[in-house]
Amino acid sequence: MTPLVEVRHLVKHFERGGGLFRARTVVKAVDDVSFVVNEGETFALVGESGSGKSTTGRCMLRLVAPTSGEVLFRGRDVLAYSSAEMRAARRDMQMVFQDPYSSLNPRMRAFTIVEEPLVIHAIGSKADRRARVADLFTLVGLDPGHLDRYPHEFSGGQRQRIGLARALALNPSFIIADEPVSALDVSIQAQVINLLMDLQEQLKLTYLFIAHDLRLVRHISTRVAVMYLGRIVEMGNTAEIFANAQHPYTKALLSAVPATDPDAPRARIELDPALVAPGAPLRQVSEGHFAAV
Amino acid sequence: MSSLRRYADSGTVSDTLLSVDGLTTVFDVAPRPVVAVNDVSFEIRKGETLGLVGESGSGKSVTAFSIIGLLQSPGRIAGGRVLFQGRDLTQLPEPEMRKVRGAGIGFVFQEPMAALNPVMRVGAHIAEALIVHGLASRAEARERAIDLLRAVKITDPGKRVDDYPHQLSGGMRQRVMMAVALACKPQLLIADEPTTALDVTVQAQVLDLLRDMKAQFELSLLLITHDLGVIAETADRVAVMYAGRIVEQGTVRQVFREPAHPYTRGLLASIPGDTAGSRLRAIDGTVPNMASLPAGCSFAPRCAHRMAVCETSFPSQTVVAHDHSVRCYLNGGQP
C-alpha cells in the first residue's frame, strides 16, 4: 500500500457577515481533516449536505483555497505549488462533477468539451487530438460517431460519460468523483458505477469517491471516512465500518438507509447530539479502524 | 391528543378510496402529441399506502397531477376515470374540484421551498387552507395551526408558527408541507418524492412521520418515488411505471420477492447490496424518449428476454398471483 494522496490537518473556514452592524461569523466547513488515499484504492468520503465532504475534495484540487493544512500528492505539497506547477499537477488529478447537466458547456460540441484539456496542455496535433477523443469516447462507452453532437443531444448517463472522458483525457492517476451518479436514474446509475470500476482496473486509477448514498459507497469503496460537521468522525475499511460502526453519527446514518427487503427489521437509531463529543480526536478502535469516540 | 382526534374522525363505507381506471394523459405538443400516462389503472384502499415507482419521465408525477386536476396546458386527460368516493374527478367542475383538493386529497411535493410562499409565515400557510375550506375562523386558525405543527413533530410550534419558510431546514419545511396538507383532514395524501431532496437521516425521520400520520389521521397514501428502498419501508402495495404505463403491480412483498417484469427485476438487481466490489447488474440502454416510443412494449429495446412479439404490440395484463399483475409476454400476456 503506497500512499498516493495524503491530506494533513486540512482546514477551510468561510467567513460570513462582517457588515456594518453584523458581527463576522466563521463557518468551519472543513475542520482539521486528515486522511490517506492509497494507490489503486477507492476511498469514500460520506456525509450529509453541509458535512464538508465536497469542500474537502475541492480544496484538494485547489478549486477553493484551503485556510490551512497540507495536501501531499506523491509526497509533494500541492498547496505550496506555484500556479504553473499546479497547472501541470492537474494533469494527474482530475475531477468528475455531480450534475452532468450544468457541468458541460451547452454551446460546445462533445468533441470540443473532451478535447479542451488537450488543447490547454498543448498535446498533439489537431488530428492526434481528434483520434484521442474518439478513443476516449470508445473507452467510456460512447459512440465515436456522436463526437460532434451537443450535450443536450445526450441522456444524463451519457453526459456523465462525457464528463468522465474529459477527466481521463490527460491520463490522470487520481480522480475525485463528487456524487458522480446521484443525478442519474436508478437503472443508469449502475451502468456508470460499473464503468468507473472497469476504468479503475484498466487504467490503474485511484479514486476519491464523494457520496451520500451508503449503499453505493459500500459497493464501490475499499475504505471510507464519515464526515460530520466538517470533521471525520469515523474511518476505516468499508466492510469493517458497515459491520462494526462505533460513532453515534455513523450508527444513525447506517440505520437510516432504507432496506430494499420489505421484511427487513427496521431499527432506526436517532442521533442524540449529546452523544457526540465535539472535537474528540480519532482514536484507533481496531486494526485500521478509527473513531472519534 | 383530543385536538388531533378532531382531524381523524372521517369514516367511509367502501373499502376502495380511489380507483383510477384507464387514465390516459396526453400533452399536445409539436410535432405530435405525447402520451405521458397511458391506460393506467390502480386502486388505493382505505388506510393503505400505494407506492408508485418509476424513473424520471415515466409519468408518475403526471399521474398525480391528473388525479388532482392540476394538469397544465398543453397537458390534458384524454381518457379514463378517477373515482374518488364514488365521484369521477375528471368530470368535476373546477369549484367542486377545489373542495376535493385539500379536504379530500392533500398533497406534498418534492421541493418544499418551491411549494411554500417565501413571504408568508408558516402559520399563514396552514391558516389559509383552514379558512378557505371554512374549517376555522381567523381567530381559531392560529391555534389550529399550532396544533398541526405539533402533530408533525415540529419542536416549539408556538414559536415556529411565526417563522418564514427560509428560516426552516429542508426537513422542517417538508413537515410544514405535511401540516398544510393535513389541515383539512383529507382521506388521501399524495406525496410526490417527499424525501428526495433531503439527507438520508432526515429522509428517515420524514418517512417515520408519514407512517405515524397515516395511522393517526387514518389516511390512505399515494407515495411517488424513484427509490425502491423507500417503497420497501413504507408501502403496502407497489405499482411500477415505465414509459407512461404500469408494467407491474402487487403487494410490496410479492413484487420485491418475486418480481415478474424484467424491468422490475432489473431495477431491483441494480441496487448495490451485499455485492461489494463486483459488477452491478445494470439495465442496458437508456430511459426511452416519450416522444418517440417504440411500437410494442416500451421496455423491449432494453430487455434481455425480447421476443419478436414484443416489438409488435403492448402485452395485456395478466395476474401472476393474488393481488399481483404484470404486463409482459413472458408471463402470458396477449397482444
Side-chain angles (χ1 to χ4, degrees):
Chain A
M1 282 202 304
T2 324
L4 181 70
V5 188
E6 208 171 324
V7 174
R8 290 183 183 166
H9 305 294
L10 190 71
V11 174
K12 175 64 191 176
H13 290 172
F14 290 103
E15 292 193 348
R16 281 205 305 205
L20 196 51
F21 299 111
R22 201 186 294 178
R24 194 177 282 214
T25 55
V26 172
V27 179
K28 296 179 179 174
V30 179
D31 192 9
D32 194 12
V33 161
S34 303
F35 59 90
V36 173
V37 184
N38 293 313
E39 221 158 296
E41 81 168 336
T42 300
F43 185 87
L45 271 184
V46 304
E48 298 186 278
S49 48
S51 63
K53 56 189 194 303
S54 288
T55 307
T56 301
R58 279 157 199 265
C59 284
M60 291 169 68
L61 293 191
R62 285 175 61 184
L63 300 177
V64 294
T67 307
S68 64
E70 289 178 351
V71 177
L72 304 183
F73 186 74
R74 297 192 198 282
R76 292 192 57 199
D77 186 6
V78 169
L79 302 184
Y81 279 167
S82 69
S83 52
E85 282 175 314
M86 191 61 219
R87 219 175 1 258
R90 285 223 178 90
R91 290 178 61 162
D92 220 10
M93 348 171 44
Q94 288 285 325
M95 190 141 186
V96 176
F97 296 95
Q98 171 176 9
D99 186 350
Y101 296 88
S102 65
S103 59
L104 303 181
N105 186 336
R107 289 159 198 263
M108 277 162 71
R109 294 177 194 275
F111 165 71
T112 322
I113 291 171
V114 179
E115 184 204 24
E116 197 174 40
L118 299 168
V119 175
I120 290 172
H121 290 273
I123 291 169
S125 67
K126 210 168 167 111
D128 292 342
R129 291 198 297 261
R130 181 104 190 158
R132 169 75 177 139
V133 173
D135 284 348
L136 286 162
F137 259 55
T138 312
L139 183 67
V140 299
L142 289 169
D143 180 353
H146 296 165
L147 281 178
D148 292 315
R149 293 194 176 183
Y150 287 95
H152 75 264
E153 295 175 87
F154 294 92
S155 68
Q158 289 171 327
R159 276 186 243 205
Q160 202 52 298
R161 289 172 195 263
I162 295 174
L164 201 52
R166 178 184 161 107
L168 294 171
L170 298 166
N171 275 322
S173 50
F174 179 54
I175 289 187
I176 298 181
D178 188 359
E179 301 273 13
V181 299
S182 60
L184 304 178
D185 274 318
V186 185
S187 73
I188 307 301
Q189 283 189 2
Q191 294 176 5
V192 175
I193 290 296
N194 282 343
L195 175 64
L196 283 168
M197 293 170 70
D198 290 348
L199 291 170
Q200 179 168 43
E201 201 178 302
Q202 214 175 325
L203 306 174
K204 306 283 172 257
L205 297 169
T206 303
Y207 289 138
L208 177 69
F209 192 83
I210 299 172
H212 71 280
D213 185 337
L214 291 156
R215 289 179 293 211
L216 220 50
V217 163
R218 182 182 192 181
H219 186 81
I220 197 171
S221 70
T222 38
R223 288 191 307 133
V224 60
V226 180
M227 287 192 73
Y228 178 66
L229 302 178
R231 302 181 74 98
I232 291 178
V233 294
E234 188 152 11
M235 176 160 64
N237 291 326
T238 306
E240 163 74 7
I241 299 272
F242 274 77
N244 191 20
Q246 295 296 317
H247 194 275
Y249 178 70
T250 314
K251 289 181 189 170
L253 198 60
L254 289 176
S255 81
V257 178
T260 41
D261 178 352
D263 293 322
R266 283 189 207 102
R268 198 86 83 209
I269 302 167
E270 294 254 350
L271 177 65
D272 179 358
L275 290 177
V276 182
L282 286 174
R283 62 174 188 85
Q284 184 153 343
V285 291
S286 63
E287 175 73 33
H289 181 180
F290 302 84
V293 288
Chain B
M1 282 310 279
S2 65
S3 65
L4 294 173
R5 292 226 174 80
R6 284 210 303 274
Y7 293 98
D9 59 4
S10 58
T12 47
V13 200
S14 158
D15 195 38
T16 301
L17 181 66
L18 178 81
S19 164
V20 174
D21 180 19
L23 181 69
T24 300
T25 301
V26 174
F27 283 77
D28 292 309
V29 290
R32 69 187 83 82
V34 169
V35 184
V37 174
N38 195 343
D39 191 18
V40 159
S41 301
F42 58 83
E43 283 186 355
I44 299 179
R45 294 158 205 161
K46 200 168 160 1
E48 169 184 78
T49 298
L50 176 73
L52 191 57
V53 70
E55 299 181 276
S56 52
S58 62
K60 51 196 197 303
S61 293
V62 177
T63 302
F65 279 102
S66 304
I67 291 171
I68 56 181
L70 287 180
L71 272 181
Q72 302 228 320
S73 175
R76 65 181 167 85
I77 294 177
R81 298 185 304 166
V82 176
L83 292 175
F84 179 70
Q85 297 177 319
R87 290 194 297 177
D88 183 359
L89 300 186
T90 64
Q91 302 302 320
L92 280 192
E94 180 55 25
E96 283 296 305
M97 195 60 212
R98 214 169 283 166
K99 285 181 199 158
V100 172
R101 285 195 292 265
I105 304 177
F107 32 88
V108 175
F109 299 106
Q110 175 176 355
E111 294 287 347
M113 201 54 210
L116 294 169
N117 186 336
V119 296
M120 262 167 79
R121 292 178 198 276
V122 162
H125 287 90
I126 302 170
E128 183 182 48
L130 291 166
I131 293 164
V132 165
H133 287 278
L135 294 172
S137 67
R138 264 171 204 289
E140 296 162 340
R142 185 185 160 85
E143 281 314 305
R144 299 277 289 272
I146 295 173
D147 282 350
L148 280 155
L149 290 177
R150 189 174 295 122
V152 295
K153 303 203 170 83
I154 285 184
T155 45
D156 207 356
K159 206 167 141 249
R160 289 290 176 201
V161 71
D162 292 319
D163 275 356
Y164 287 98
H166 76 267
Q167 293 171 284
L168 306 175
S169 67
M172 291 255 262
R173 283 181 205 138
Q174 205 53 291
R175 286 167 198 266
V176 170
M177 279 302 299
M178 252 190 255
V180 175
L182 296 175
C184 303
K185 5 175 207 174
Q187 287 90 57
L188 174 68
L189 183 68
I190 298 180
D192 187 358
E193 302 273 11
T195 60
T196 303
L198 304 176
D199 275 324
V200 58
T201 52
V202 183
Q203 161 172 300
Q205 291 164 6
V206 171
L207 290 180
D208 287 346
L209 179 65
L210 262 180
R211 265 195 299 270
D212 283 0
M213 293 296 102
K214 204 187 114 192
Q216 202 174 346
F217 288 66
E218 292 176 23
L219 285 168
S220 301
L221 186 60
L222 174 59
L223 179 67
I224 298 172
T225 178
H226 67 280
D227 189 330
L228 288 162
V230 169
I231 298 275
E233 287 222 335
T234 317
D236 303 306
R237 287 166 60 248
V238 58
V240 182
M241 275 190 96
Y242 188 80
R245 298 188 194 251
I246 292 179
V247 294
E248 178 160 11
Q249 62 176 311
T251 62
V252 168
R253 184 164 287 109
Q254 262 287 333
V255 172
F256 277 62
R257 287 268 182 271
E258 291 165 55
H261 198 283
Y263 175 63
T264 316
R265 274 188 245 151
L267 271 187
L268 285 165
S270 65
I271 298 171
D274 302 324
T275 50
S278 57
R279 285 180 64 87
L280 290 170
R281 285 191 288 156
I283 305 176
D284 286 338
T286 56
V287 180
N289 180 350
M290 293 299 289
S292 55
L293 287 180
C297 172
S298 337
F299 187 64
R302 304 176 72 184
C303 185
H305 308 281
R306 183 172 61 245
M307 301 176 281
V309 64
C310 303
E311 284 159 32
T312 56
S313 66
F314 203 84
S316 64
Q317 176 168 304
T318 48
V319 174
V320 287
H322 175 67
D323 203 358
H324 184 184
S325 59
V326 64
R327 297 186 72 159
C328 177
Y329 290 112
L330 290 176
N331 291 281
Q334 294 301 312

